[in-house]
Amino acid sequence: MTKVTYEIVEHDGGWAYKVGATFSETFPSHADALAAAKIAAGEQQVAGRTEGIEYEDSAGKWHGEVSQGDDRPETDIADTTRSD
């Protein structure tokens, strides 16, 4: 099973969550970014329909594959910016 980690980080004068090298929108507070990451992580675990998907990798190459609607990743939130 795939594991996706949402990392809370300072970004562009505020806070964001990041998955791999991709940032979310910037939020005004750490709490807002954490709340948004929790929502996104929860939504990613909801089963959907089996359908074809296309995506571009970091080298700019496009790929196509079939995504099973019930093959959902495990999600986690890494918040190393706070010790409390």
Side-chain angles (χ1 to χ4, degrees):
M1 174 180 280
T2 302
K3 183 172 184 177
V4 177
T5 300
Y6 292 76
E7 182 181 2
I8 309 302
V9 296
E10 289 186 69
H11 179 65
D12 201 21
W15 294 89
Y17 62 84
K18 181 173 109 164
V19 177
T22 303
F23 291 89
S24 70
E25 64 185 278
T26 302
F27 296 92
S29 72
H30 178 274
D32 290 338
L34 179 59
K38 287 179 180 179
I39 290 169
E43 288 175 351
Q44 191 159 17
Q45 294 180 333
V46 176
R49 298 187 326 244
T50 297
E51 56 187 274
I53 61 170
E54 292 182 343
Y55 62 94
E56 185 178 11
D57 65 21
S58 60
K61 182 178 178 185
W62 282 91
H63 303 269
E65 61 186 53
V66 174
S67 176
Q68 299 297 320
D70 60 352
D71 183 20
R72 306 312 307 155
E74 177 184 342
T75 60
D76 185 34
I77 297 175
D79 187 3
T80 59
T81 60
R82 300 283 184 176
S83 60
D84 52 11

